[in-house]
Amino acid sequence: MTEEAVEVTTGDGERSKEKLVNLAHTPVKAPHPKKQKKGSGQNLQDESMFERIMEAVAALTEKVDMQTTKMDEQTALLKKFDERIDANSEAIKRNKEVLEHLEKRVAELQGDNKRLREAVAEHARYKRRWNLRLNGLAEKDGEDIRETVIGILTRVVPIGADRLREAVDTVHRLGRKGSAATSNNTPRSIILQFVSRVVRDDVWKRSREARVCKEMHIHFKEDFSKEDREARAKLWPSRARWIEEGEKNTTYFFNLEKQRQLKKQINKLSVNNFVYEDQREINKEIHTFYSNLYKSYHSEADCEILFESIEGLNQNIDLEFKHFMENDLDIEEMDAAVLKMSSGKSPGLDGLTAEFYKFFWTDIRRLLHEAFLECISAGSLSNTMRQGLITLIPKPNKNTLYLDNWRPITLLCNDYKILAHVFAERLNRGLKDLVDECQSAFIKGRNIHNHIRLVVDLLDYCDFVDPDSLILFLDFYKAFDTLEHSFLIKALKFLGFGDKFCNIIKMFYNDIYSSVSLNPGITPRFVIKRGIRQGCPISPKLFILATQLLTILIKHSHDIQGISIFEKQYKISQFADDTALLLKDDAEVVKALNRIQLFSKASGLKLNISKCEILPVHSCQHQTIEAIRVVHEVKYLGVLLSKNTLRREEVNITNRLFDMKKTRSITTIAPRHVSQRALLQITGQSPCPFDQGLTTRPMIGQ
């Protein structure tokens, strides 16, 4: 037995040598093995498997691509769904707001309808007939009382007997003949029932001055039962009680006067963060505040700088109007002024009321005319005409702890008012041509709503203006009380007025003084060196003439760019001292403030930056611009201005109507079936411009 080394090929294609043991055996010829290529079968298997794997990978990749494409499509679809959901959510939110608004409005209308039905039911019989009572007509046996009364009525009212017979329903004596009423030879009253209220009211008014009533010693009287009086008091509560108890020596009258005095009484006053409650200290602070307010801080140098910057920009005054203002005082102008004086107003310190002047006018007109001519010639008013009494009126919805929130109204003597009224009427003749159209206060034919409409149109049609456009609302501190007298005279001369008229205006403000009315008493008097007196007939006209210089300065500043709409540029809008500047972007704010500073130094009107506001037409990322707050809504000329239409309507119309209904302003005249717009005008509320054609109003420039 021997060992041999044998070369063996393994399954991996590698060769190895193994030792084999040779056993003893009979040699047999082994078959010769077939020759094969080393590893070829295994490689073919591997290649086939690799191809199958690659095919599977390709198929899988194709499936993955298909799934990815489907996922992208699904993602885009989900995104669209999200957008639709957001849009629907916004729509639902808006619809909910509209629904809440409509539900609120329906509830209000239902309440109005209920109250109106109750009022109609309660006062239904007033629509059928109205009664009068005739007292003092002697009784006769067998009298035809109806024909007798008709004969009297034909002499009271100038209409035919046939018309009166149709208007008068029934006529009868009150009570039984021979009753206690006739025992004293007093004739029984006669009740007249009318079917026409117009005729009844005409008889009632004319009977007071009718000659037939005086000749026959008879008089008519309104006939109301207890039920009628209660119903009348519900319909017109304040008026009914005032007619019955108004100026009588009653508790009602004194309570009314007491309430008026309490509204004007200052019991607490905050000065430099310290609250005064002692009345002596309060009176002292009031005197100090107003004596400092009316001190002059005029700078001639600043005034000259302003007038040099606007030199040659004034509009030439009409020569006819200029000569008209220079005319001598005419007594007929004084007659017209007295006729226009309002009755029932508080007099000045001399105590002479407008009723006094109207009653004795024919006796004193020439004497007063000569006195006025002497004042004009001397350039000085009389002592009583120079002195005023300031009464403080609290501003609505303001904190009355601060004197800034009280409006000083000066009570002036009526002889001064007559003279000032004459020249105010003269100014009315040419003021419209002299003052720019952007100013509409105190000018006949111009309307406050034009300014509100302009701002609302800018907000609603913002697509037509520059994206960075904004509106700067200015607030001047005590504008009427800080206008310098010297600047006013220079402004009048700049506008082209003659020396005689300017000297008359100087006379109005030369050596004048005032005191503040306290409760009780008055402060020591102080000199008025600046400011125009609120309560003077000519003061508003003079103020807008002075502010005309600000208009000229802004409109002719070529470096300030306004808001352009349909190739027309708007820069400024004014109503008295309420001024709005329309600017292209925030870069124009500093330029505008520099121009206003120039005007302020010359005129005395200072900006109250803390109360100025900026309203962007589109949107603005800034919270302040040049220390002025940027807001999204602003109250301008008593109206809330906002880009949100529902918000505007709610605050300016819905809430205002609700407040008036709550204070019985609407229910007082509800049975007359007047429209809401007419109710606003009747009750003295300014009709809001948002109800003037919301869907059909023309755009700016059309």
Side-chain angles (χ1 to χ4, degrees):
M1 184 173 63
T2 62
E3 294 182 357
E4 292 182 355
V6 182
E7 188 177 328
V8 179
T9 302
T10 64
D12 296 333
E14 297 180 354
R15 295 179 180 181
S16 62
K17 290 183 178 182
E18 296 181 1
K19 291 181 179 182
L20 298 179
V21 180
N22 291 329
L23 299 176
H25 63 281
T26 303
V28 181
K29 190 176 181 178
H32 185 74
K34 294 182 179 180
K35 293 183 179 181
Q36 295 180 358
K37 290 184 178 180
K38 295 180 179 180
S40 60
Q42 188 68 32
N43 291 336
L44 289 174
Q45 291 179 359
D46 293 341
E47 290 175 359
S48 175
M49 183 177 296
F50 179 75
E51 289 176 356
R52 287 196 299 272
I53 290 173
M54 291 304 294
E55 289 175 358
V57 169
L60 184 60
T61 302
E62 184 178 356
K63 288 183 180 180
V64 169
D65 292 339
M66 291 175 60
Q67 293 298 326
T68 302
T69 303
K70 288 183 180 180
M71 287 180 64
D72 291 340
E73 293 175 354
Q74 295 294 331
T75 302
L77 189 61
L78 287 174
K79 186 176 181 181
K80 290 182 180 179
F81 284 156
D82 289 339
E83 291 176 354
R84 290 182 181 179
I85 290 171
D86 293 339
N88 290 335
S89 299
E90 291 294 328
I92 291 171
K93 185 178 180 181
R94 289 194 300 269
N95 290 335
K96 283 184 177 180
E97 292 178 355
V98 173
L99 181 61
E100 291 176 358
H101 177 73
L102 291 176
E103 288 177 347
K104 186 178 179 181
R105 183 64 181 151
V106 167
E108 292 176 357
L109 291 175
Q110 288 176 346
D112 292 345
N113 187 35
K114 182 179 179 181
R115 285 190 293 272
L116 288 174
R117 287 181 178 275
E118 292 175 353
V120 169
E122 186 176 358
H123 304 289
R125 67 190 181 87
Y126 279 89
K127 294 183 177 180
R128 294 194 301 268
R129 63 184 59 165
W130 293 267
N131 298 350
L132 284 179
R133 179 179 296 203
L134 177 60
N135 295 329
L137 184 62
E139 296 188 42
K140 297 179 181 179
D141 295 335
E143 64 180 357
D144 187 349
I145 190 61
R146 178 181 175 82
E147 288 301 319
T148 303
V149 171
I150 294 295
I152 295 173
L153 293 181
T154 55
R155 298 177 61 186
V156 174
V157 292
I159 60 177
D162 294 337
R163 172 89 182 275
L164 283 170
R165 288 189 180 92
E166 294 176 358
V168 178
D169 186 14
T170 60
V171 180
H172 62 86
R173 293 273 184 181
L174 186 63
R176 182 168 50 85
K177 188 174 182 179
S179 61
T182 60
S183 59
N184 297 327
N185 295 325
T186 302
R188 289 175 295 164
S189 299
I190 301 172
I191 300 297
L192 288 76
Q193 294 181 335
F194 292 83
V195 294
S196 171
R197 181 169 183 172
V198 175
V199 177
R200 180 261 188 196
D201 290 347
D202 198 18
V203 171
W204 169 239
K205 291 177 182 178
R206 292 175 181 271
S207 65
R208 302 172 189 177
E209 301 296 333
R211 181 177 296 180
V212 63
C213 296
K214 296 178 181 179
E215 292 175 352
M216 299 181 68
H217 303 289
I218 59 175
H219 65 275
F220 288 87
K221 185 179 179 181
E222 289 184 299
D223 182 64
F224 290 116
S225 63
K226 182 179 179 181
E227 179 186 359
D228 296 333
R229 292 183 183 276
E230 291 176 355
R232 187 186 185 191
K234 288 181 180 179
L235 190 60
W236 297 288
S238 301
R239 179 172 175 79
R241 192 167 185 186
W242 175 259
I243 292 173
E244 294 177 0
E245 304 181 30
E247 293 187 349
K248 295 179 181 178
N249 189 11
T250 62
T251 304
Y252 175 74
F253 173 76
F254 286 110
N255 285 338
L256 286 179
E257 187 62 25
K258 185 177 180 180
Q259 290 175 8
R260 289 180 58 190
Q261 294 299 327
L262 286 176
K263 289 181 181 179
K264 297 189 294 183
Q265 188 172 5
I266 301 178
N267 296 318
K268 292 182 180 180
L269 190 64
S270 178
V271 180
N272 297 327
N273 297 324
F274 182 81
V275 178
Y276 292 94
E277 296 187 8
D278 182 71
Q279 197 63 47
R280 291 183 180 179
E281 294 295 329
I282 292 174
N283 296 347
K284 182 180 177 181
E285 290 297 330
I286 291 174
H287 176 263
T288 302
F289 178 85
Y290 283 102
S291 59
N292 291 332
L293 178 65
Y294 293 116
K295 285 182 179 179
S296 176
Y297 301 94
H298 177 68
S299 171
E300 191 67 28
D302 292 330
C303 203
E304 289 299 329
I305 294 174
L306 173 65
F307 282 100
E308 287 176 2
S309 64
I310 59 175
E311 186 177 0
L313 300 178
N314 59 313
Q315 183 179 354
N316 293 329
I317 190 172
D318 182 67
L319 292 178
E320 183 181 353
F321 174 61
K322 178 179 179 180
H323 295 323
F324 174 69
M325 297 302 300
E326 298 282 298
N327 288 340
D328 292 334
L329 181 64
D330 192 5
I331 196 169
E332 281 75 17
E333 293 178 300
M334 295 170 55
D335 295 339
V338 171
L339 288 175
K340 290 185 178 181
M341 291 176 67
S342 301
S343 301
K345 299 294 183 180
S346 298
L349 289 174
D350 61 3
L352 300 179
T353 62
E355 291 84 351
F356 169 85
Y357 281 95
K358 290 180 179 180
F359 188 84
F360 292 105
W361 182 243
T362 55
D363 301 316
I364 64 175
R365 59 194 291 267
R366 296 198 177 277
L367 180 63
L368 198 59
H369 180 244
E370 293 177 1
F372 287 163
L373 291 177
E374 185 176 347
C375 290
I376 294 173
S377 176
S380 178
L381 298 171
S382 65
N383 289 333
T384 55
M385 294 172 72
R386 292 201 304 268
Q387 186 167 354
L389 179 64
I390 296 175
T391 179
L392 301 179
I393 307 297
K395 295 180 180 179
N397 304 320
K398 298 289 185 179
N399 188 353
T400 55
L401 277 176
Y402 303 96
L403 279 176
D404 288 343
N405 296 328
W406 292 78
R407 182 174 289 110
I409 305 298
T410 304
L411 301 179
L412 299 165
C413 297
N414 280 300
D415 53 353
Y416 172 89
K417 287 185 177 181
I418 293 171
L419 182 59
H421 196 284
V422 169
F423 289 97
E425 286 297 315
R426 287 189 182 185
L427 277 176
N428 286 335
R429 181 171 173 177
L431 207 59
K432 188 174 182 180
D433 299 326
L434 201 58
V435 177
D436 194 275
E437 63 181 358
C438 69
Q439 171 70 266
S440 64
F442 316 118
I443 299 177
K444 188 176 182 180
R446 299 185 186 179
N447 200 314
I448 186 176
H449 303 307
N450 295 339
H451 303 277
I452 303 172
R453 182 77 276 156
L454 173 62
V455 177
V456 172
D457 282 344
L458 288 174
L459 297 177
D460 290 347
Y461 300 113
C462 57
D463 295 336
F464 294 93
V465 301
D466 294 327
D468 297 326
S469 299
L470 51 86
I471 307 172
L472 171 58
F473 295 93
L474 304 177
D475 182 86
F476 290 102
Y477 175 75
K478 296 287 185 182
F480 284 87
D481 302 312
T482 57
L483 182 64
E484 294 287 351
H485 296 163
S486 299
F487 172 79
L488 174 61
I489 302 303
K490 286 182 177 292
L492 293 176
K493 291 182 179 180
F494 175 81
L495 294 173
F497 287 96
D499 292 337
K500 185 174 180 180
F501 175 71
C502 292
N503 289 333
I504 291 174
I505 301 304
K506 279 184 182 179
M507 176 190 69
F508 284 144
Y509 295 101
N510 181 31
D511 194 23
I512 60 174
Y513 43 88
S514 290
S515 302
V516 180
S517 176
L518 305 173
N519 195 10
I522 61 175
T523 66
R525 71 182 189 182
F526 44 85
V527 179
I528 307 294
K529 289 293 185 180
R530 68 172 180 174
I532 56 175
R533 300 192 279 193
Q534 300 183 58
C536 171
I538 199 173
S539 289
K541 322 290 182 183
L542 298 176
F543 183 82
I544 62 174
L545 285 173
T547 56
Q548 173 64 15
L549 272 64
L550 175 61
T551 306
I552 295 172
L553 182 63
I554 296 295
K555 295 189 75 170
H556 291 85
S557 295
H558 300 295
D559 59 331
I560 298 178
Q561 298 185 42
I563 296 179
S564 297
I565 309 168
F566 302 119
E567 299 181 354
K568 183 177 180 180
Q569 193 175 82
Y570 296 84
K571 286 187 179 181
I572 185 170
S573 175
Q574 292 177 293
F575 187 84
D577 62 318
D578 290 311
T579 303
L581 299 184
L582 315 178
L583 304 175
K584 182 179 180 180
D585 51 43
D586 55 2
E588 309 301 317
V589 174
V590 64
K591 302 176 186 177
L593 292 178
N594 289 335
R595 294 296 187 280
I596 296 169
Q597 181 70 12
L598 181 64
F599 174 78
S600 298
K601 290 180 178 180
S603 65
L605 276 64
K606 305 293 184 183
L607 275 183
N608 190 352
I609 294 294
S610 62
K611 292 186 178 181
C612 294
E613 294 175 316
I614 293 176
L615 178 66
V617 176
H618 290 270
S619 61
C620 182
Q621 297 179 351
H622 304 290
Q623 294 184 349
T624 61
I625 299 175
E626 297 296 326
I628 300 176
R629 291 183 301 120
V630 177
V631 296
H632 299 291
E633 60 181 32
V634 63
K635 193 168 185 180
Y636 179 55
L637 300 177
V639 175
L640 181 81
L641 301 178
S642 172
K643 287 178 282 190
N644 188 330
T645 306
L646 291 177
R647 168 75 173 159
R648 288 202 311 247
E649 293 180 358
E650 179 183 4
V651 174
N652 298 309
I653 300 177
T654 307
N655 292 350
R656 185 170 295 183
L657 286 172
F658 178 77
D659 292 339
M660 288 190 293
K661 291 173 186 176
K662 192 164 62 175
T663 57
R664 300 183 64 90
S665 297
I666 295 297
T667 55
T668 299
I669 51 179
R672 303 184 186 183
H673 305 287
V674 186
S675 67
Q676 289 184 351
R677 179 173 175 80
L679 290 174
L680 284 170
Q681 294 176 335
I682 292 171
T683 53
Q685 296 289 334
S686 175
C688 187
F690 307 121
D691 61 348
Q692 301 177 8
L694 284 173
T695 58
T696 59
R697 68 165 188 258
M699 293 187 296
I700 301 173
Q702 291 186 340

